[in-house]
Amino acid sequence: MAGFEYVRPTTLEGAVAELSMRGDTAVAVAGATDLWVNIRSGKMKPEAVVSLRGIAGLDVLTPERADGGGLTIGAMTPHGKVEDSAWTAAHFPALQQGCAGLGSRQVRNVGTVGGNICNAAPCADSATALMLFDATLVIQGPGGLRELPLGEFFVGPGMTRLLKGELLKEIRVPDPGANTFSRYIKHTRRRGVELAMMSVGVRLTLEDDMTTVKAARISLGVCAPTPTCADRAQDMLVGKPLTREAVEAAALVAAEDSQVRDSWRGKAWYRREMIRVLVPRAVEQSGAYVAAGLAPALDDAGSAASSGASAPGAPTPDDPGASSGATEGGA
Amino acid sequence: MNPPVITEQERAQKELAVVGKGIPKADAGVKVTGQAQYMHDLELPNMLYGKILYSDRASARIVSIDTSEAERIPGVKAVLTAYNTPEIRFGFLKDNMALKKDRVRQYRDEVAAVAATTPELAEAAIKAIVVHYEDLPAVFDPEEAMQEGAPLVHELNPKGEPNKDNRLRLPWKFSAGDVEAGEAASAFIAEGEYETGWVTHCCLGTAGCVAAFDPDDNLTMYSITQIPSLAKADFQEAMKAMGVRGKVRVVLTTLGGGFGSKLDTYAFEYIAMLLAHRTKKPVKILFDREEEFFATSPRQPTRIKIRQGCDAEGRLTFRDISMVLDNGAYTSWGATTPTVMMMPSSSLYQVENVRFRATCVYTNNTYAQAMRGYGTPQVTFAIESNLDELAEKAGIEGYEFRLKNANLPDTVTPQGFKVDSCGHVPCLEAVAERMDWAGYRAAKAARLAGDATGAGGDATLVESDTAGVPPVAQAAWTELPDKVRGIGMACLLHVGGGAKIYKSDGCGTLIKVDDLGYVDVYSGSMDMGQGLDTILRQIVAETLGLGVDRINVVIGDTDVCPWDAGAHASRSTFVAGNSALYAAQQVREQILNSAADILDTPRDGLDLTGGMVVCADDPEKTTKIEKVLRKAHFASAGNTMFMAAYFYEPPTDLLAGDFKGNYSMAYAWGCHGVEVEVDRRTGQIDIVRYIAAHDVGKAINPLLLRGQILGGGLQGIGWALAEEMIFDEGKLLNPNFRDYKMLTALDSVDVEPILVEDPAAAGPYGAKGIGEPGLVPTAPAIANAIYDAVGIRLRKLPMKPEMVLAAIMEAEGR
Ligand SMILES: Cc1cc2nc3c(=O)[nH]c(=O)nc-3n(C[C@H](O)[C@H](O)[C@H](O)COP(=O)(O)OP(=O)(O)OC[C@H]3O[C@@H](n4cnc5c(N)ncnc54)[C@H](O)[C@@H]3O)c2cc1C
């Protein structure tokens, strides 16, 4: 393992300048929980590493309003901060669950949301969860800021639309509106320190009649070369009454459309089958059926209690004590 | 030497002061504060770092090795290959060599090695070595390897004679009674084929050593071996092969886990010797995590065929087991695990007619070694799963079936084991009671009856094991809930009083007592985290009437400590414990005899307790032990210090020929009961409840005992459900904790231990071994519970969700 230069600029513009100047020989580092693994294994051999840790203002989790609304996540925000945010758990449950189920608490304390997105792994948990909420990325380049929808960001495993010298500044999550329910289920072999064999996120926003689906998102991890949304399946639900049959039909389409692959880590047929099984479960656990009068109130974690509908007196973003991760591990 | 008498009554008379107490481990403090010295911490002046170049193919001829570039790197002090070093052969059949010559047979073959001033330079030198290979045919499946015309992994046997095929010439056959007659007398017969794969120990402390020669060619080997005395003999033999005259001393550092992985010596240790001798400097080789995964020897994979029968009443009539074991490319202890598998095969439950055959086959895979349980987990998976199948055929509930056939005290098994203490039935009953077995069964039966009458019942409790009707026959799969529960149990038999697998199963102890009442105990045994040092402290403290803080246990230095057969076979508490006990009893006699003189009172009225020489006849004369020690030492005449030596050799039989005899001084029994929840839609298995009842003879330290049962249980649950080494044509694909699914803290199951104390007559304070049993019956207990829940019989480990789901979908016609 060769040594490298460690650069620690104090402004985002400075970091962009350092990276632009050095071209392909330099790489940005946030929590280093992906980068260091790649350097140690010899997959990456940067001559310089540009740390973003000295830059103020990137480790933020800012809600638009205390009673809901949108959310801005600084690129350097560690997953643990999102995990601990009762506000996020109340308003964007699937996002909190995606962050809380990543790696171990130690990894979540240093690994950042920005790093998860920019690393662009097919199994990226917080990225897959964010796909549910139509997030927009704010990118700083040599020429200034630009915005890009998260859904257009990924190109392939480890490949993104970031240009040379560009850095992710923050992620903006718009207000999904009232009557929103979401859930993220990470399917793993064990419960701790585990990458997803596949994962499923769902987000449903209902009309005020609490029956008609206004917006639907189904996001999938490890079901394609990048985190994806099951476009055809989610569209099937919109404008129609929420029913179990409709969700199951959509799950089937999501499974059929997926680009799951066979590997020694998991079989394609099994991943496909899990889409079919877990999409309905995620909807069930989001609390949407309860709200739509299709099910009695649930009582376990991931129940109506922690669903997306804003509860009065919802905690503020800095409140700790949110529910724990949503890992569906089978020992 | 015979053990001194007296012990039994003396033991019974006194209430135990430290034995039986859950005192914390002796090394807890140094481990928690980071003071414990692991191999990773060891550095010697002028030490070099060794690194090994492994083969990058499974089977090939070595055409050439170019080391010239590596040699030119400044700081590189030696580059060794088989072509510039003496040949060192090692292993059970001496078919392995420290550095491979002309041919590689597996990916982990050591082709070259370097020593350099830093680990980085050593790494760079390894990368600079160029090896040209010519691929040779390879074989990875043991059954294919047995076929005629399969490529030979070894053309010659170690004696230089040509091999006809890949089968090892090992005599693993046992029979008792008449299996054919047993079959003829059977009302029911169940048969099945079971398969277990590669799993590894996952020691958190990776393997390593430091080899250091003095100017007179004496070797000090800093080691993490579980077998200090036997490793010393191995290294001494290697010295002969190297043409080096000196003596070997093996010194242990703290071990970061053993689990059987360190029961044999490894090529890296001989390579460190070669490098150290060549450079005249100490050389350290320390495995990284990847090496720990691919270059240490895992558990032996098995394919087991089993047939068992019973009469109309459910009494076992015969058991017939045959198996094929993947030996890998070389032979270590893995190849001898069938000798231990014979034990449960012949003697778990009462069955007169038994046949057992095992064939070990060379392949181009990694080679196997010892791992916790030494083959018994694999064969118990077959026996106990198949037993449930047989019980179902006979229409007898599994627990009742087991009780009917359970082992009893004061019996001799078909293999000739003299079973005195036997907690089999108490363990079965304890599990049944704790889980309310009968109540669970009755509730299910009631609900099943509800279903049958069309009243509709709770489908979670669809009966699956009464009349062989699979649950799907009773309800369409769409009507069943996603998650269904079931219960299962499995039993175990293991050696609990040593095991004579070498010519000696003994252990020596030296004890000295100083003037101040501090006692040093030099034991041949070793500690790898299980707590042997703590156990010896307790036994010696109890015997000498002192607090454990007065007892210092010295282990892990062959220059200082007597011989021992090593930490295996769950033997240390029993064998090293007895050795320490008898040595301590000698010291005790010495002290009491001296005290009688000094205090001028009859010996019979004296006792050692609470740090005092207690005089029952004349309480005035009761005095501190130290006073007696000093008086004896500094007496004007006949000055004496108290010291003792004892070598305990269990009077057991070395099994050979027909493999009949009594090869342990005690037998350990146990029963695990488990409730699982099976997710019918994902195939995931959740352990709802896990009970582990073990016959431990006597719990010398209940705290450590609990640790052994919990640890064994968790390791076994991982083996059953998640862990597997995945090989692609001999290459390990998952040499890391990301992809090797060792369970984490979050996956921990709350294993509930139940201690059944049926004292072993020959055990120290009645104790039996418990190091391995906790792992043994895990997989079949879980498999039986899964069957109970969903009617799916899983015969291959690990029982991964996709396997479970595929089986369920097939059964449910999805
Ligand atoms: C033990 C362990 C367990 C893990 N488990 C999981 C898991 O369960 N789920 C999961 O999704 N991931 C997991 N990971 C991966 C990793 O922790 C996450 O992807 C994490 O979010 C990466 O963030 P980081 O801050 O550490 O990124 P870094 O490693 O610092 O960077 C990752 C990549 O992103 C780039 N980058 C970082 N920040 C920016 C930025 N602001 N702008 C542009 N480029 C940037 C870097 O140049 C680098 O290429 C695990 C890692 C480890 C070591």
Side-chain angles (χ1 to χ4, degrees), chain A residues 263-274:
Chain A
S263 82
W264 56 268
R265 294 196 171 105
K267 296 269 176 265
W269 76 264
Y270 184 74
R271 290 186 167 122
R272 189 175 298 117
E273 179 68 14
M274 289 310 96

Side-chain angles (χ1 to χ4, degrees), chain A residues 27-37 44 52 75 79 101-104 107 110-116 118-119 123-126 162 166-169 186 193-196:
Chain A
V27 61
V29 64
T33 58
D34 276 318
L35 189 75
W36 190 240
V37 175
M44 290 176 88
L52 309 182
H79 291 102
L102 180 142
S104 63
V107 172
V110 282
T112 63
V113 177
N116 194 255
C118 295
N119 191 60
C123 67
D125 282 312
S126 49
L162 276 186
E166 281 190 329
L167 286 170
L168 177 62
K169 179 170 184 256
K186 178 174 173 179
V193 205
E194 186 72 322
L195 299 178

Side-chain angles (χ1 to χ4, degrees), chain B residues 447-501:
Chain B
R447 269 173 271 219
L448 176 66
D451 270 351
T453 58
D458 180 349
T460 54
L461 294 165
V462 169
E463 186 68 5
S464 58
D465 58 349
T466 46
V469 187
V472 287
Q474 293 156 36
W477 69 268
T478 43
E479 292 162 23
L480 288 170
D482 284 359
K483 296 186 181 184
V484 289
R485 290 187 176 192
I487 55 174
M489 62 163 60
C491 295
L492 84 106
L493 159 62
H494 207 72
V495 285
K500 197 150 284 183
I501 53 172

